[in-house]
Amino acid sequence: MSDQANIILSVNNIEVIYDHVILVLKGVSLEVPEGEIVALLGANGAGKSTTLKAISNLLKAERGDTTKGSIEFQGTRVEKLNPAELVKMGVVQVMEGRHCFEHLTIEENLLTGAYTRKGGRKVINESLEMVYEYFPRLKQRRGTMAGFTSGGEQQMAAIGRALMANPTMILLDEPSMGLAPMLVEEIFEIVKKLNEQEGVSVLLAEQNTNIALAYSNYGYIMENGRVVMDGSAKELGENEDVKEFYLGMSSEGRKSFRDAKHYKRRKRWL
Amino acid sequence: MSFFMEVLIAGLLAGVMYSLVALGFVLIFKASGVLNYAQGTMALFAALSFVSFVEMGINFWVALLLTAIIMVILAFVVERVVLRPLVNQPLITLFMATIGLSFFLEGFAQALWGSQVHRLELGISDDPIFIGDIMVSQFDIFAGVTAAAMVAGLAFFFSKTKMGRALRAVADDHQAALSIGIPLRHIWVLVWVVAGFVAIVAGLLWGSRLGVQFALSLIILKAFPVLILGGFESIPGAIVGGLIIGSSEKLAEVYLGPYVGGGIENFFPYMLALAFLLIRPYGLFGEVHIERV
Ligand SMILES: Nc1ncnc2c1ncn2[C@@H]1O[C@H](COP(=O)(O)OP(=O)(O)O)[C@@H](O)[C@H]1O
Ligand SMILES: [Mg+2]
């Protein structure tokens, strides 16, 4: 991202350690320009979720810790803040696996998302109406206990719940997980619409490279706790290695970048 | 038949008192997964504080307010001193910590208010009244109505208020709750405050029944069979479990007692709970985790 246009989030060379000993992120850097969708790609275990949790500071609850580097949101250092403070600043994470409150109704799930909001019932009702406009299905299911709704509806509820906090930036972790392709597309369409109409910036972690690149402006590819490649969605989509390793356009199946002799690893972050 | 009804009703109303203790317990367990052994001691502590204020000549309602304030302070202290440093520790550690808390509170109460037995008069006579030809204790009715009012209040709090919803959210999935900016510390304090208020009601009712004395903290032991029956996470379960335990122990005492020389009342609840564990380990109303694939 060479143009210096309003970087809303920048992660600089962070290192994350779980349980004081397990080094998982080994110097990850990335940037999200305001109003864009940036994809964080990579196989299972690459460190995508850890990166998102380092930003939202949900790491502490899993005994993880950002030991090096810095994270800036709108120019403010945020690595030392707690998740509630970040939510108030406008950064909300939608966790992998949806994490709805099963025993709360869909509407109650959405309302809890407004926990940090000030301004009383009126503001909250407006947000609720907005969420129902983007997710008409949730309106139909508003009185149903979340645990009894489908995976797609739960994913929508999780995104809707995050929207209730009125975020400037959403950290969206694997929204496609376990969902039928049609639904995945429906959800990505809504995310795109939210991005365009509400101006919400999105950092999206996905294993589904295909769909993620189709809906994002820029992408980073992670392997083993490092960013190994980045570029515009178009560049990445056309890159031979990406095609081979992540878009499944090879007869040999998925391999690691490490195996590709001709691939020159970027040394930018080392 | 009317004798059976009398025993049954007396049992049900006594059961309400068990429900009260179990209720405070369920609240804390639901929100934080902590088995709070100190719930009975909290009831004792509340009753003792209240009685001591009243004995100083303080007005009933002012004494109640002061006791409530004490329970709020206690909640903050528990969060700061016990829960916060033990975050992320295994639940058994937290359980042990609440046993410690229980002993501490007992000692502290003793140091603060002395160790003699106090009489507590709530001004409700324990004389029976007749409903039709069934004899019922007025006090038991009062206890039943109080408990019902409290449950209604809690139900409203949990379903209609922001904090109540947040509490249920944390109980369901604390990570998700964190992710939308609900600070767990606030929730812990809140749930201990609510459990503290429940302890006040339980303490006053039990205290006026048995006298305010240190044995009161042992009523927690009566809560366990209730919890096993009702499920550790269920508020309706605590109520129904209490009613079942209360009525069945009275009925067992009256109808089975004579065959074994009496005293069944004391161990029957535990037998019932044990038998129940074999059939429905998660209790009558315990949350069967919703699984969908
Ligand atoms: N709480 C944790 N404790 C220890 N190791 C963890 C924890 N969470 C994730 N890891 C490890 O960190 C690595 C990256 O995981 P993750 O960030 O979840 O990857 P991704 O989201 O890309 O699948 C994995 O090797 C995983 O085993
Ligand atoms: Mg992940």
Side-chain angles (χ1 to χ4, degrees), chain A residues 62 99 102-103 108 115, chain B residues 162 168 172-173 175 292:
Chain A
E62 293 182 32
H99 285 268
E102 303 189 323
H103 299 92
E108 285 175 329
Y115 186 86
Chain B
K162 172 179 164 182
R168 281 159 62 219
D172 250 13
D173 189 330
Q175 275 187 318
R292 282 195 59 142

Side-chain angles (χ1 to χ4, degrees), chain B residues 90-166:
Chain B
L91 287 174
I92 187 74
T93 311
L94 282 158
F95 176 61
M96 299 305 277
T98 67
I99 295 182
L101 176 68
S102 171
F103 282 110
F104 167 77
L105 267 183
E106 215 169 303
F108 185 63
Q110 211 153 347
L112 207 60
W113 308 121
S115 57
Q116 67 276 39
V117 177
H118 298 255
R119 264 177 58 76
L120 172 57
E121 264 313 325
L122 293 178
I124 298 125
S125 96
D126 211 353
D127 295 337
I129 52 170
F130 281 90
I131 300 174
D133 58 350
I134 296 166
M135 192 171 79
V136 195
S137 143
Q138 281 185 45
F139 182 87
D140 284 347
I141 292 178
F142 174 77
V145 171
T146 309
M150 203 167 69
V151 170
L154 283 174
F156 178 82
F157 170 72
F158 277 111
S159 57
K160 296 286 180 256
T161 66
K162 172 179 164 182
M163 290 314 277
R165 247 189 336 255

Side-chain angles (χ1 to χ4, degrees), chain B residues 36-262:
Chain B
N36 178 25
Y37 186 80
Q39 188 67 34
T41 322
M42 281 163 66
L44 162 74
F45 186 67
L48 205 56
S49 305
F50 176 81
V51 168
S52 305
F53 287 136
V54 169
E55 283 172 3
M56 283 176 204
I58 295 174
N59 168 288
F60 180 95
W61 296 106
V62 178
L64 198 60
L65 181 70
L66 287 175
T67 310
I69 293 172
I70 288 187
M71 296 318 276
V72 172
I73 295 172
L74 179 69
F76 275 93
V77 172
V78 166
E79 190 277 324
R80 184 67 195 87
V81 179
V82 182
L83 301 177
R84 204 186 296 178
L86 293 179
V87 158
N88 278 336
Q89 295 300 314
L91 287 174
I92 187 74
T93 311
L94 282 158
F95 176 61
M96 299 305 277
T98 67
I99 295 182
L101 176 68
S102 171
F103 282 110
F104 167 77
L105 267 183
E106 215 169 303
F108 185 63
Q110 211 153 347
L112 207 60
W113 308 121
S115 57
Q116 67 276 39
V117 177
H118 298 255
R119 264 177 58 76
L120 172 57
E121 264 313 325
L122 293 178
I124 298 125
S125 96
D126 211 353
D127 295 337
I129 52 170
F130 281 90
I131 300 174
D133 58 350
I134 296 166
M135 192 171 79
V136 195
S137 143
Q138 281 185 45
F139 182 87
D140 284 347
I141 292 178
F142 174 77
V145 171
T146 309
M150 203 167 69
V151 170
L154 283 174
F156 178 82
F157 170 72
F158 277 111
S159 57
K160 296 286 180 256
T161 66
K162 172 179 164 182
M163 290 314 277
R165 247 189 336 255
L167 244 163
R168 281 159 62 219
V170 170
D172 250 13
D173 189 330
H174 70 274
Q175 275 187 318
L178 269 177
S179 81
I180 51 173
I182 299 177
L184 295 187
R185 282 175 192 172
H186 294 190
I187 296 299
W188 285 337
V189 171
L190 179 70
V191 78
W192 280 75
V193 167
V194 177
F197 289 170
V198 174
I200 295 177
V201 177
L204 294 190
L205 290 175
W206 276 99
S208 63
R209 217 346 111 76
L210 307 174
V212 179
Q213 52 175 323
F214 280 81
L216 210 55
S217 62
L218 296 179
I219 55 175
I220 186 65
L221 297 179
K222 281 280 189 185
F224 282 113
V226 173
L227 293 165
I228 289 172
L229 227 67
F232 280 76
E233 321 185 299
S234 164
I235 290 174
I239 306 299
V240 176
L243 295 179
I244 294 176
I245 294 287
S247 53
S248 64
E249 73 174 18
K250 289 284 183 297
L251 290 171
E253 181 67 38
V254 170
Y255 290 101
L256 299 178
Y259 299 106
V260 292

Side-chain angles (χ1 to χ4, degrees), chain A residues 44-45 47-50 96 173-174 177 205 207:
Chain A
N44 193 15
K48 305 180 296 294
S49 299
T50 303
E96 179 180 304
D173 200 349
E174 305 240 12
M177 189 187 255
Q207 281 190 61

Side-chain angles (χ1 to χ4, degrees), chain A residues 192-211:
Chain A
K192 186 83 195 164
K193 226 164 88 186
L194 275 166
N195 167 255
E196 283 166 358
Q197 296 176 6
E198 312 293 325
V200 187
S201 310
V202 181
L203 179 57
L204 164 76
E206 258 301 342
Q207 281 190 61
N208 188 337
T209 312
N210 243 321
I211 189 127

